[in-house]
Amino acid sequence: MQQYSGKSIFKGIAIGKIYFYSKGEQQVKRHKIEDAAGEITRYNNAKEQAINELTKLYEKALKEVGEGNAEIFNVHIMMLEDEDYNDSVNNIVENQSMNAEYAVARTADNFYEMFSNMEDEYFKARAFDIKDISERVISILNGASTGSDIGNEPVIIVANDLAPSETVQMDKDKLLAFVTELGSSNSHTAILARTMNIPALIGVKIEESWNGKMAIVDGYTGTFYIDPEEEMLNEYKAKKEEEENSRKLLQDLKGKENVTLSGQKINIYANIGNVTDLAAVLQNDASGIGLFRSEFLYLESDHLPTEEEQFQVYKQVAETMAGKKVIIRTLDIGADKQVDYLNLGKEDNPAMGYRAIRICLNEPEIFKTQLRAILRASAFGNISIMFPMIISVNEVLQIKKIVAEVKAELDTVGIEYGEVELGIMIETPAAAIISDLLAKEVDFFSIGTNDLTQYTLAIDRQNAKLDPIYDAHHEAVLRLIQMVVDNAHKEGIWAGICGELGADLSLTKRFLEMGLDELSVSPTFVLPVRKEVRETK
């Protein structure tokens, strides 16, 4: 038996045979061509086929893993349509008289090197996306398959790395677990693994010779066992059965209150990216929606969504939730979420740049359009509005003034709207430290622990090299959360968490001790958090 340690991305146990997944990079031959125009036509046809395939992948991912996780395929489409990328391919074909396969491969290498050498981690991550889309086009040009066939039986996928397009194409009924050598806990594939409830490990030195061997993935300890002995195999089969029984027992928690043994109550809401996530919210019995990431309406569009387009979406969510609270976060674009039509431009440090509420206050008409749509929809349900990336009281005062202007406009034309709570996200140390002042101006706080941790520790959460020291449990982060809760309660408003830390069961008891009023998590974590709450004294 062999034993290896890695970093756990999603807890759980998987037992089965290993399938060594190889990307099978295309062998590209370089040769001279005489008809450059014809070769460019070949490339354009392959590119259009690739875009069609990516569109289908987006639609498949939308159904299986939700809007937020599917968005990477729209990013890939935009990259294939990028003018600089296409100019490079065309230039190599025309000026060097080279075949399209070589031109794409050469462009991919050049862009990969360019992105890899950038200091910004977001653009570094795009280097792997360039490789992914280029391999797809080369495969099409070569007449090769672009699918991800893993056979007919359930397997543990072992790979050097996995692209989002590869994981989404795999048959979900055949996936037991992922084990990769590369990747980070915030990579697209890691997020997909968590969304699909598939145990996953990263940072394991893999070997192709493992293919076909029996293995165990222990996502609780981050351990990978190759050729386990019979005694260990039986031990883990028992653990797996116990795990499955526990999952079934969670279903019995539907309809139960989120209340501790001592009688303390807490709201458990769900985070969503679009209306397609509503089924999971209802299936997992969330008490409401604590974070509706409205930016995905903008990311999936090739134009600024109109007031009517937004209104119809917000209305549908409000009606579907039938009186349960729906908290809509206003446009949180910028940093790692870009849309071409806003022409935001590239920034050296986008995580701290022109983003979120900074854009909205600088572009009031864009902001007002969204606010009108949300307020109109509030007449059809229980809607609250939340504003991201706040750092000052002055920003809140500007927001409230704009909201008042929009309400006055609606009153003038006789359009009804409901009673809407206004809240802010606490994502920056600045907001946490002055939360006593901010609490006087709003109805609630929602703590975005992902960014709060990033900014407090001065660690880029998408930088895999920093994973060993990225500590969301850092006492400084937890003390800031406590400060925010205390200051909220002093002013009689409620405070919750909508970041990933809300689903960390090892912290549930401490969050209850802090006095948090709400935890908003991915839909699949609603029942596990409810179970933890109900078992806490």
Side-chain angles (χ1 to χ4, degrees), residues 1-2 4 14-20 153-158 176 207-217 224-228 233:
M1 182 187 77
Q2 298 169 279
Y4 299 87
I15 304 169
K17 287 185 178 179
I18 292 172
Y19 183 95
F20 187 88
E153 63 176 323
V155 290
I156 295 170
I157 300 294
V158 171
L176 297 175
E207 297 178 19
E208 190 171 354
S209 60
W210 296 345
N211 192 52
K213 292 184 177 181
M214 181 61 68
I216 297 170
V217 174
F224 189 38
Y225 301 97
I226 313 293
D227 280 335
L233 200 57

PDB file of all heavy atoms in Angstrom, residues 1-2 4 14-20 153-158 176 207-217 224-228 233:
ATOM      1  N   MET A   1       0.838  -1.203   0.000  1.00  0.00           N
ATOM      2  CA  MET A   1       0.000   0.000   0.000  1.00  0.00           C
ATOM      3  C   MET A   1       0.871   1.251   0.000  1.00  0.00           C
ATOM      4  O   MET A   1       1.910   1.289   0.652  1.00  0.00           O
ATOM      5  CB  MET A   1      -0.913   0.023   1.234  1.00  0.00           C
ATOM      6  CG  MET A   1      -1.845   1.228   1.275  1.00  0.00           C
ATOM      7  SD  MET A   1      -2.786   1.368   2.806  1.00  0.00           S
ATOM      8  CE  MET A   1      -1.536   2.013   3.914  1.00  0.00           C
ATOM      9  N   GLN A   2       0.451   2.262  -0.765  1.00  0.00           N
ATOM     10  CA  GLN A   2       1.130   3.551  -0.777  1.00  0.00           C
ATOM     11  C   GLN A   2       0.198   4.612  -0.205  1.00  0.00           C
ATOM     12  O   GLN A   2      -1.012   4.559  -0.393  1.00  0.00           O
ATOM     13  CB  GLN A   2       1.528   3.929  -2.208  1.00  0.00           C
ATOM     14  CG  GLN A   2       2.496   2.967  -2.873  1.00  0.00           C
ATOM     15  CD  GLN A   2       2.625   3.259  -4.357  1.00  0.00           C
ATOM     16  OE1 GLN A   2       1.785   2.847  -5.151  1.00  0.00           O
ATOM     17  NE2 GLN A   2       3.658   3.988  -4.732  1.00  0.00           N
ATOM     18  N   TYR A   4      -0.294   8.919   0.344  1.00  0.00           N
ATOM     19  CA  TYR A   4       0.151  10.264  -0.044  1.00  0.00           C
ATOM     20  C   TYR A   4      -0.737  11.300   0.635  1.00  0.00           C
ATOM     21  O   TYR A   4      -1.913  11.054   0.909  1.00  0.00           O
ATOM     22  CB  TYR A   4       0.067  10.436  -1.563  1.00  0.00           C
ATOM     23  CG  TYR A   4       0.938   9.465  -2.326  1.00  0.00           C
ATOM     24  CD1 TYR A   4       0.469   8.201  -2.662  1.00  0.00           C
ATOM     25  CD2 TYR A   4       2.234   9.810  -2.697  1.00  0.00           C
ATOM     26  CE1 TYR A   4       1.266   7.296  -3.343  1.00  0.00           C
ATOM     27  CE2 TYR A   4       3.044   8.912  -3.383  1.00  0.00           C
ATOM     28  CZ  TYR A   4       2.553   7.654  -3.706  1.00  0.00           C
ATOM     29  OH  TYR A   4       3.345   6.761  -4.379  1.00  0.00           O
ATOM     30  N   ALA A  14     -14.127   8.591  -0.912  1.00  0.00           N
ATOM     31  CA  ALA A  14     -14.361   7.935  -2.199  1.00  0.00           C
ATOM     32  C   ALA A  14     -13.533   6.666  -2.259  1.00  0.00           C
ATOM     33  O   ALA A  14     -12.364   6.650  -1.852  1.00  0.00           O
ATOM     34  CB  ALA A  14     -13.986   8.859  -3.347  1.00  0.00           C
ATOM     35  N   ILE A  15     -14.132   5.606  -2.751  1.00  0.00           N
ATOM     36  CA  ILE A  15     -13.450   4.313  -2.901  1.00  0.00           C
ATOM     37  C   ILE A  15     -13.692   3.807  -4.318  1.00  0.00           C
ATOM     38  O   ILE A  15     -14.841   3.723  -4.762  1.00  0.00           O
ATOM     39  CB  ILE A  15     -13.975   3.273  -1.895  1.00  0.00           C
ATOM     40  CG1 ILE A  15     -13.843   3.790  -0.455  1.00  0.00           C
ATOM     41  CG2 ILE A  15     -13.246   1.941  -2.054  1.00  0.00           C
ATOM     42  CD1 ILE A  15     -14.569   2.936   0.570  1.00  0.00           C
ATOM     43  N   GLY A  16     -12.640   3.521  -5.048  1.00  0.00           N
ATOM     44  CA  GLY A  16     -12.810   3.014  -6.407  1.00  0.00           C
ATOM     45  C   GLY A  16     -11.497   2.919  -7.152  1.00  0.00           C
ATOM     46  O   GLY A  16     -10.425   3.182  -6.599  1.00  0.00           O
ATOM     47  N   LYS A  17     -11.598   2.581  -8.422  1.00  0.00           N
ATOM     48  CA  LYS A  17     -10.406   2.452  -9.253  1.00  0.00           C
ATOM     49  C   LYS A  17      -9.953   3.835  -9.755  1.00  0.00           C
ATOM     50  O   LYS A  17     -10.766   4.735  -9.947  1.00  0.00           O
ATOM     51  CB  LYS A  17     -10.685   1.538 -10.446  1.00  0.00           C
ATOM     52  CG  LYS A  17     -10.795   0.067 -10.066  1.00  0.00           C
ATOM     53  CD  LYS A  17     -10.959  -0.801 -11.302  1.00  0.00           C
ATOM     54  CE  LYS A  17     -11.012  -2.277 -10.926  1.00  0.00           C
ATOM     55  NZ  LYS A  17     -11.189  -3.134 -12.124  1.00  0.00           N
ATOM     56  N   ILE A  18      -8.665   3.937  -9.973  1.00  0.00           N
ATOM     57  CA  ILE A  18      -8.086   5.183 -10.464  1.00  0.00           C
ATOM     58  C   ILE A  18      -8.176   5.239 -11.979  1.00  0.00           C
ATOM     59  O   ILE A  18      -7.904   4.262 -12.682  1.00  0.00           O
ATOM     60  CB  ILE A  18      -6.599   5.296 -10.039  1.00  0.00           C
ATOM     61  CG1 ILE A  18      -6.497   5.468  -8.523  1.00  0.00           C
ATOM     62  CG2 ILE A  18      -5.905   6.449 -10.753  1.00  0.00           C
ATOM     63  CD1 ILE A  18      -5.083   5.394  -8.006  1.00  0.00           C
ATOM     64  N   TYR A  19      -8.573   6.394 -12.482  1.00  0.00           N
ATOM     65  CA  TYR A  19      -8.506   6.665 -13.918  1.00  0.00           C
ATOM     66  C   TYR A  19      -7.515   7.805 -14.094  1.00  0.00           C
ATOM     67  O   TYR A  19      -7.773   8.925 -13.671  1.00  0.00           O
ATOM     68  CB  TYR A  19      -9.875   7.053 -14.470  1.00  0.00           C
ATOM     69  CG  TYR A  19      -9.899   7.276 -15.968  1.00  0.00           C
ATOM     70  CD1 TYR A  19     -10.276   6.258 -16.835  1.00  0.00           C
ATOM     71  CD2 TYR A  19      -9.523   8.495 -16.516  1.00  0.00           C
ATOM     72  CE1 TYR A  19     -10.293   6.456 -18.213  1.00  0.00           C
ATOM     73  CE2 TYR A  19      -9.523   8.708 -17.885  1.00  0.00           C
ATOM     74  CZ  TYR A  19      -9.916   7.683 -18.730  1.00  0.00           C
ATOM     75  OH  TYR A  19      -9.910   7.886 -20.090  1.00  0.00           O
ATOM     76  N   PHE A  20      -6.366   7.488 -14.691  1.00  0.00           N
ATOM     77  CA  PHE A  20      -5.356   8.517 -14.921  1.00  0.00           C
ATOM     78  C   PHE A  20      -5.767   9.321 -16.142  1.00  0.00           C
ATOM     79  O   PHE A  20      -5.786   8.800 -17.261  1.00  0.00           O
ATOM     80  CB  PHE A  20      -3.971   7.901 -15.122  1.00  0.00           C
ATOM     81  CG  PHE A  20      -2.872   8.939 -15.203  1.00  0.00           C
ATOM     82  CD1 PHE A  20      -2.249   9.381 -14.049  1.00  0.00           C
ATOM     83  CD2 PHE A  20      -2.477   9.473 -16.420  1.00  0.00           C
ATOM     84  CE1 PHE A  20      -1.246  10.347 -14.109  1.00  0.00           C
ATOM     85  CE2 PHE A  20      -1.495  10.437 -16.493  1.00  0.00           C
ATOM     86  CZ  PHE A  20      -0.863  10.872 -15.330  1.00  0.00           C
ATOM     87  N   GLU A 153     -17.393   2.973 -15.880  1.00  0.00           N
ATOM     88  CA  GLU A 153     -17.596   2.698 -14.458  1.00  0.00           C
ATOM     89  C   GLU A 153     -17.144   3.890 -13.618  1.00  0.00           C
ATOM     90  O   GLU A 153     -16.286   4.664 -14.034  1.00  0.00           O
ATOM     91  CB  GLU A 153     -16.829   1.439 -14.042  1.00  0.00           C
ATOM     92  CG  GLU A 153     -15.326   1.557 -14.185  1.00  0.00           C
ATOM     93  CD  GLU A 153     -14.615   0.318 -13.667  1.00  0.00           C
ATOM     94  OE1 GLU A 153     -15.066  -0.255 -12.650  1.00  0.00           O
ATOM     95  OE2 GLU A 153     -13.599  -0.069 -14.262  1.00  0.00           O
ATOM     96  N   PRO A 154     -17.715   4.045 -12.412  1.00  0.00           N
ATOM     97  CA  PRO A 154     -17.302   5.146 -11.543  1.00  0.00           C
ATOM     98  C   PRO A 154     -15.815   5.053 -11.197  1.00  0.00           C
ATOM     99  O   PRO A 154     -15.320   3.972 -10.871  1.00  0.00           O
ATOM    100  CB  PRO A 154     -18.169   4.952 -10.293  1.00  0.00           C
ATOM    101  CG  PRO A 154     -19.362   4.191 -10.780  1.00  0.00           C
ATOM    102  CD  PRO A 154     -18.835   3.273 -11.838  1.00  0.00           C
ATOM    103  N   VAL A 155     -15.122   6.188 -11.258  1.00  0.00           N
ATOM    104  CA  VAL A 155     -13.669   6.189 -11.047  1.00  0.00           C
ATOM    105  C   VAL A 155     -13.227   7.410 -10.247  1.00  0.00           C
ATOM    106  O   VAL A 155     -13.938   8.402 -10.137  1.00  0.00           O
ATOM    107  CB  VAL A 155     -12.904   6.184 -12.400  1.00  0.00           C
ATOM    108  CG1 VAL A 155     -13.046   4.860 -13.104  1.00  0.00           C
ATOM    109  CG2 VAL A 155     -13.372   7.340 -13.294  1.00  0.00           C
ATOM    110  N   ILE A 156     -12.026   7.281  -9.696  1.00  0.00           N
ATOM    111  CA  ILE A 156     -11.340   8.410  -9.066  1.00  0.00           C
ATOM    112  C   ILE A 156     -10.430   9.017 -10.123  1.00  0.00           C
ATOM    113  O   ILE A 156      -9.528   8.345 -10.628  1.00  0.00           O
ATOM    114  CB  ILE A 156     -10.508   7.952  -7.851  1.00  0.00           C
ATOM    115  CG1 ILE A 156     -11.419   7.413  -6.754  1.00  0.00           C
ATOM    116  CG2 ILE A 156      -9.646   9.099  -7.323  1.00  0.00           C
ATOM    117  CD1 ILE A 156     -10.679   6.719  -5.619  1.00  0.00           C
ATOM    118  N   ILE A 157     -10.681  10.263 -10.496  1.00  0.00           N
ATOM    119  CA  ILE A 157      -9.893  10.918 -11.536  1.00  0.00           C
ATOM    120  C   ILE A 157      -8.584  11.433 -10.940  1.00  0.00           C
ATOM    121  O   ILE A 157      -8.591  12.211  -9.990  1.00  0.00           O
ATOM    122  CB  ILE A 157     -10.661  12.086 -12.176  1.00  0.00           C
ATOM    123  CG1 ILE A 157     -11.956  11.592 -12.821  1.00  0.00           C
ATOM    124  CG2 ILE A 157      -9.792  12.813 -13.204  1.00  0.00           C
ATOM    125  CD1 ILE A 157     -11.750  10.679 -13.997  1.00  0.00           C
ATOM    126  N   VAL A 158      -7.477  10.984 -11.517  1.00  0.00           N
ATOM    127  CA  VAL A 158      -6.149  11.463 -11.126  1.00  0.00           C
ATOM    128  C   VAL A 158      -5.549  12.184 -12.324  1.00  0.00           C
ATOM    129  O   VAL A 158      -5.532  11.649 -13.436  1.00  0.00           O
ATOM    130  CB  VAL A 158      -5.241  10.293 -10.688  1.00  0.00           C
ATOM    131  CG1 VAL A 158      -3.802  10.773 -10.495  1.00  0.00           C
ATOM    132  CG2 VAL A 158      -5.758   9.671  -9.396  1.00  0.00           C
ATOM    133  N   LEU A 176     -16.113   9.814  -8.842  1.00  0.00           N
ATOM    134  CA  LEU A 176     -16.067   9.541  -7.409  1.00  0.00           C
ATOM    135  C   LEU A 176     -15.269  10.599  -6.664  1.00  0.00           C
ATOM    136  O   LEU A 176     -15.612  10.976  -5.550  1.00  0.00           O
ATOM    137  CB  LEU A 176     -15.433   8.160  -7.162  1.00  0.00           C
ATOM    138  CG  LEU A 176     -16.182   6.952  -7.720  1.00  0.00           C
ATOM    139  CD1 LEU A 176     -15.366   5.689  -7.496  1.00  0.00           C
ATOM    140  CD2 LEU A 176     -17.552   6.831  -7.080  1.00  0.00           C
ATOM    141  N   GLU A 207       1.320   9.688 -10.332  1.00  0.00           N
ATOM    142  CA  GLU A 207       2.062   8.773 -11.206  1.00  0.00           C
ATOM    143  C   GLU A 207       1.086   8.073 -12.140  1.00  0.00           C
ATOM    144  O   GLU A 207       0.037   7.598 -11.714  1.00  0.00           O
ATOM    145  CB  GLU A 207       2.822   7.729 -10.380  1.00  0.00           C
ATOM    146  CG  GLU A 207       3.892   8.310  -9.469  1.00  0.00           C
ATOM    147  CD  GLU A 207       4.582   7.235  -8.631  1.00  0.00           C
ATOM    148  OE1 GLU A 207       4.483   6.051  -9.018  1.00  0.00           O
ATOM    149  OE2 GLU A 207       5.183   7.578  -7.608  1.00  0.00           O
ATOM    150  N   GLU A 208       1.442   8.004 -13.411  1.00  0.00           N
ATOM    151  CA  GLU A 208       0.580   7.356 -14.405  1.00  0.00           C
ATOM    152  C   GLU A 208       0.429   5.867 -14.122  1.00  0.00           C
ATOM    153  O   GLU A 208      -0.577   5.240 -14.484  1.00  0.00           O
ATOM    154  CB  GLU A 208       1.140   7.580 -15.807  1.00  0.00           C
ATOM    155  CG  GLU A 208       0.189   7.157 -16.913  1.00  0.00           C
ATOM    156  CD  GLU A 208       0.650   7.588 -18.287  1.00  0.00           C
ATOM    157  OE1 GLU A 208       1.662   8.326 -18.385  1.00  0.00           O
ATOM    158  OE2 GLU A 208      -0.013   7.201 -19.271  1.00  0.00           O
ATOM    159  N   SER A 209       1.413   5.272 -13.448  1.00  0.00           N
ATOM    160  CA  SER A 209       1.383   3.835 -13.157  1.00  0.00           C
ATOM    161  C   SER A 209       0.246   3.448 -12.224  1.00  0.00           C
ATOM    162  O   SER A 209      -0.071   2.268 -12.060  1.00  0.00           O
ATOM    163  CB  SER A 209       2.716   3.386 -12.546  1.00  0.00           C
ATOM    164  OG  SER A 209       2.980   4.093 -11.334  1.00  0.00           O
ATOM    165  N   TRP A 210      -0.401   4.453 -11.589  1.00  0.00           N
ATOM    166  CA  TRP A 210      -1.517   4.164 -10.707  1.00  0.00           C
ATOM    167  C   TRP A 210      -2.787   3.776 -11.476  1.00  0.00           C
ATOM    168  O   TRP A 210      -3.729   3.256 -10.895  1.00  0.00           O
ATOM    169  CB  TRP A 210      -1.856   5.390  -9.849  1.00  0.00           C
ATOM    170  CG  TRP A 210      -0.785   5.817  -8.906  1.00  0.00           C
ATOM    171  CD1 TRP A 210       0.310   5.107  -8.507  1.00  0.00           C
ATOM    172  CD2 TRP A 210      -0.714   7.083  -8.229  1.00  0.00           C
ATOM    173  NE1 TRP A 210       1.061   5.856  -7.629  1.00  0.00           N
ATOM    174  CE2 TRP A 210       0.456   7.064  -7.433  1.00  0.00           C
ATOM    175  CE3 TRP A 210      -1.508   8.217  -8.215  1.00  0.00           C
ATOM    176  CZ2 TRP A 210       0.831   8.140  -6.639  1.00  0.00           C
ATOM    177  CZ3 TRP A 210      -1.148   9.301  -7.428  1.00  0.00           C
ATOM    178  CH2 TRP A 210       0.024   9.258  -6.646  1.00  0.00           C
ATOM    179  N   ASN A 211      -2.814   4.045 -12.754  1.00  0.00           N
ATOM    180  CA  ASN A 211      -4.031   3.832 -13.549  1.00  0.00           C
ATOM    181  C   ASN A 211      -4.590   2.422 -13.356  1.00  0.00           C
ATOM    182  O   ASN A 211      -3.873   1.429 -13.487  1.00  0.00           O
ATOM    183  CB  ASN A 211      -3.737   4.069 -15.027  1.00  0.00           C
ATOM    184  CG  ASN A 211      -5.011   4.143 -15.853  1.00  0.00           C
ATOM    185  OD1 ASN A 211      -5.918   4.897 -15.532  1.00  0.00           O
ATOM    186  ND2 ASN A 211      -5.100   3.338 -16.911  1.00  0.00           N
ATOM    187  N   GLY A 212      -5.870   2.338 -13.001  1.00  0.00           N
ATOM    188  CA  GLY A 212      -6.535   1.048 -12.844  1.00  0.00           C
ATOM    189  C   GLY A 212      -6.443   0.448 -11.459  1.00  0.00           C
ATOM    190  O   GLY A 212      -7.108  -0.543 -11.160  1.00  0.00           O
ATOM    191  N   LYS A 213      -5.626   1.033 -10.584  1.00  0.00           N
ATOM    192  CA  LYS A 213      -5.466   0.482  -9.243  1.00  0.00           C
ATOM    193  C   LYS A 213      -6.597   0.949  -8.319  1.00  0.00           C
ATOM    194  O   LYS A 213      -7.172   2.006  -8.508  1.00  0.00           O
ATOM    195  CB  LYS A 213      -4.115   0.907  -8.648  1.00  0.00           C
ATOM    196  CG  LYS A 213      -2.918   0.276  -9.354  1.00  0.00           C
ATOM    197  CD  LYS A 213      -1.613   0.653  -8.659  1.00  0.00           C
ATOM    198  CE  LYS A 213      -0.424  -0.043  -9.333  1.00  0.00           C
ATOM    199  NZ  LYS A 213       0.862   0.290  -8.651  1.00  0.00           N
ATOM    200  N   MET A 214      -6.880   0.118  -7.318  1.00  0.00           N
ATOM    201  CA  MET A 214      -7.884   0.477  -6.325  1.00  0.00           C
ATOM    202  C   MET A 214      -7.302   1.546  -5.404  1.00  0.00           C
ATOM    203  O   MET A 214      -6.111   1.536  -5.084  1.00  0.00           O
ATOM    204  CB  MET A 214      -8.283  -0.755  -5.507  1.00  0.00           C
ATOM    205  CG  MET A 214      -9.358  -0.484  -4.458  1.00  0.00           C
ATOM    206  SD  MET A 214     -10.921   0.092  -5.159  1.00  0.00           S
ATOM    207  CE  MET A 214     -11.477  -1.388  -6.018  1.00  0.00           C
ATOM    208  N   ALA A 215      -8.139   2.504  -5.000  1.00  0.00           N
ATOM    209  CA  ALA A 215      -7.648   3.597  -4.162  1.00  0.00           C
ATOM    210  C   ALA A 215      -8.747   4.113  -3.241  1.00  0.00           C
ATOM    211  O   ALA A 215      -9.939   3.844  -3.443  1.00  0.00           O
ATOM    212  CB  ALA A 215      -7.121   4.729  -5.028  1.00  0.00           C
ATOM    213  N   ILE A 216      -8.313   4.872  -2.241  1.00  0.00           N
ATOM    214  CA  ILE A 216      -9.225   5.539  -1.312  1.00  0.00           C
ATOM    215  C   ILE A 216      -8.841   7.016  -1.230  1.00  0.00           C
ATOM    216  O   ILE A 216      -7.662   7.347  -1.077  1.00  0.00           O
ATOM    217  CB  ILE A 216      -9.144   4.928   0.104  1.00  0.00           C
ATOM    218  CG1 ILE A 216      -9.573   3.466   0.090  1.00  0.00           C
ATOM    219  CG2 ILE A 216     -10.002   5.732   1.093  1.00  0.00           C
ATOM    220  CD1 ILE A 216      -9.298   2.746   1.406  1.00  0.00           C
ATOM    221  N   VAL A 217      -9.828   7.886  -1.341  1.00  0.00           N
ATOM    222  CA  VAL A 217      -9.614   9.319  -1.109  1.00  0.00           C
ATOM    223  C   VAL A 217     -10.305   9.677   0.202  1.00  0.00           C
ATOM    224  O   VAL A 217     -11.510   9.484   0.351  1.00  0.00           O
ATOM    225  CB  VAL A 217     -10.192  10.177  -2.258  1.00  0.00           C
ATOM    226  CG1 VAL A 217     -10.085  11.661  -1.902  1.00  0.00           C
ATOM    227  CG2 VAL A 217      -9.466   9.896  -3.561  1.00  0.00           C
ATOM    228  N   PHE A 224      -4.482  10.109   0.452  1.00  0.00           N
ATOM    229  CA  PHE A 224      -4.768   9.302  -0.733  1.00  0.00           C
ATOM    230  C   PHE A 224      -4.055   7.963  -0.569  1.00  0.00           C
ATOM    231  O   PHE A 224      -2.832   7.909  -0.426  1.00  0.00           O
ATOM    232  CB  PHE A 224      -4.263  10.038  -1.978  1.00  0.00           C
ATOM    233  CG  PHE A 224      -4.676   9.425  -3.289  1.00  0.00           C
ATOM    234  CD1 PHE A 224      -5.941   8.876  -3.460  1.00  0.00           C
ATOM    235  CD2 PHE A 224      -3.796   9.403  -4.366  1.00  0.00           C
ATOM    236  CE1 PHE A 224      -6.330   8.324  -4.675  1.00  0.00           C
ATOM    237  CE2 PHE A 224      -4.169   8.856  -5.580  1.00  0.00           C
ATOM    238  CZ  PHE A 224      -5.448   8.314  -5.738  1.00  0.00           C
ATOM    239  N   TYR A 225      -4.821   6.876  -0.570  1.00  0.00           N
ATOM    240  CA  TYR A 225      -4.267   5.537  -0.397  1.00  0.00           C
ATOM    241  C   TYR A 225      -4.328   4.778  -1.725  1.00  0.00           C
ATOM    242  O   TYR A 225      -5.391   4.679  -2.343  1.00  0.00           O
ATOM    243  CB  TYR A 225      -5.047   4.755   0.661  1.00  0.00           C
ATOM    244  CG  TYR A 225      -5.063   5.401   2.028  1.00  0.00           C
ATOM    245  CD1 TYR A 225      -6.148   6.200   2.427  1.00  0.00           C
ATOM    246  CD2 TYR A 225      -4.022   5.225   2.924  1.00  0.00           C
ATOM    247  CE1 TYR A 225      -6.188   6.790   3.692  1.00  0.00           C
ATOM    248  CE2 TYR A 225      -4.048   5.810   4.196  1.00  0.00           C
ATOM    249  CZ  TYR A 225      -5.136   6.587   4.563  1.00  0.00           C
ATOM    250  OH  TYR A 225      -5.160   7.175   5.808  1.00  0.00           O
ATOM    251  N   ILE A 226      -3.188   4.208  -2.144  1.00  0.00           N
ATOM    252  CA  ILE A 226      -3.118   3.396  -3.358  1.00  0.00           C
ATOM    253  C   ILE A 226      -2.977   1.942  -2.952  1.00  0.00           C
ATOM    254  O   ILE A 226      -2.148   1.605  -2.101  1.00  0.00           O
ATOM    255  CB  ILE A 226      -1.905   3.788  -4.243  1.00  0.00           C
ATOM    256  CG1 ILE A 226      -1.811   5.306  -4.399  1.00  0.00           C
ATOM    257  CG2 ILE A 226      -1.985   3.090  -5.599  1.00  0.00           C
ATOM    258  CD1 ILE A 226      -2.918   5.921  -5.186  1.00  0.00           C
ATOM    259  N   ASP A 227      -3.754   1.049  -3.573  1.00  0.00           N
ATOM    260  CA  ASP A 227      -3.739  -0.386  -3.250  1.00  0.00           C
ATOM    261  C   ASP A 227      -3.889  -0.632  -1.754  1.00  0.00           C
ATOM    262  O   ASP A 227      -3.026  -1.256  -1.107  1.00  0.00           O
ATOM    263  CB  ASP A 227      -2.431  -1.032  -3.754  1.00  0.00           C
ATOM    264  CG  ASP A 227      -2.473  -1.343  -5.244  1.00  0.00           C
ATOM    265  OD1 ASP A 227      -3.584  -1.521  -5.777  1.00  0.00           O
ATOM    266  OD2 ASP A 227      -1.400  -1.395  -5.862  1.00  0.00           O
ATOM    267  N   PRO A 228      -4.963  -0.146  -1.145  1.00  0.00           N
ATOM    268  CA  PRO A 228      -5.145  -0.345   0.295  1.00  0.00           C
ATOM    269  C   PRO A 228      -5.331  -1.819   0.639  1.00  0.00           C
ATOM    270  O   PRO A 228      -5.875  -2.598  -0.156  1.00  0.00           O
ATOM    271  CB  PRO A 228      -6.421   0.454   0.596  1.00  0.00           C
ATOM    272  CG  PRO A 228      -7.169   0.465  -0.700  1.00  0.00           C
ATOM    273  CD  PRO A 228      -6.111   0.527  -1.766  1.00  0.00           C
ATOM    274  N   LEU A 233      -9.573  -1.240   3.550  1.00  0.00           N
ATOM    275  CA  LEU A 233     -10.666  -1.111   2.586  1.00  0.00           C
ATOM    276  C   LEU A 233     -12.011  -1.306   3.288  1.00  0.00           C
ATOM    277  O   LEU A 233     -12.958  -0.522   3.091  1.00  0.00           O
ATOM    278  CB  LEU A 233     -10.486  -2.133   1.464  1.00  0.00           C
ATOM    279  CG  LEU A 233     -11.211  -1.870   0.142  1.00  0.00           C
ATOM    280  CD1 LEU A 233     -10.821  -0.527  -0.446  1.00  0.00           C
ATOM    281  CD2 LEU A 233     -10.909  -2.978  -0.854  1.00  0.00           C
TER     282      LEU A 233
END
